[in-house]
Amino acid sequence: RFIHEHIAEHIQIEHLAALVHMSSSHFARAFKNATGHPPHFYLTTERLRLAQSMLSEGSLSLIDVVVRAGFQTQ
């Protein structure tokens, strides 16, 4: 839920781990076990899904989609 609510922000594994009171390495392993993907891959995939959805609507410019999806570059 945190990732989806803050997807436009710079999200660090350390912060995610702190939210659930785990070390970064333990969190990364637990996240991969739970989702099947490492946290960075999951975050990138979710950003791509959001960007794809916004682009398919066609009402936003590419730069607006990039910013809202949390990417650093177009």
Side-chain angles (χ1 to χ4, degrees):
R1 187 177 80 196
F2 179 87
I3 289 174
H4 291 275
E5 290 174 358
H6 299 272
I7 200 152
E9 300 172 18
H10 179 69
I11 300 173
Q12 297 181 345
I13 290 180
E14 294 81 10
H15 184 76
L16 295 173
L19 290 172
V20 292
H21 309 290
M22 292 181 175
S23 69
S24 296
S25 59
H26 185 73
F27 172 79
R29 281 190 304 276
F31 191 95
K32 185 174 181 178
N33 287 338
T35 66
H37 301 289
H40 285 100
F41 181 85
Y42 181 85
L43 179 59
T44 300
T45 301
E46 291 303 305
R47 284 182 169 156
L48 286 170
R49 285 183 187 159
L50 176 60
Q52 182 181 19
S53 173
M54 288 187 285
L55 287 170
S56 69
E57 292 174 8
S59 60
L60 296 172
S61 69
L62 182 57
I63 192 67
D64 288 333
V65 170
V66 167
V67 170
R68 291 180 187 200
F71 288 106
Q72 301 299 313
T73 63
Q74 293 181 32

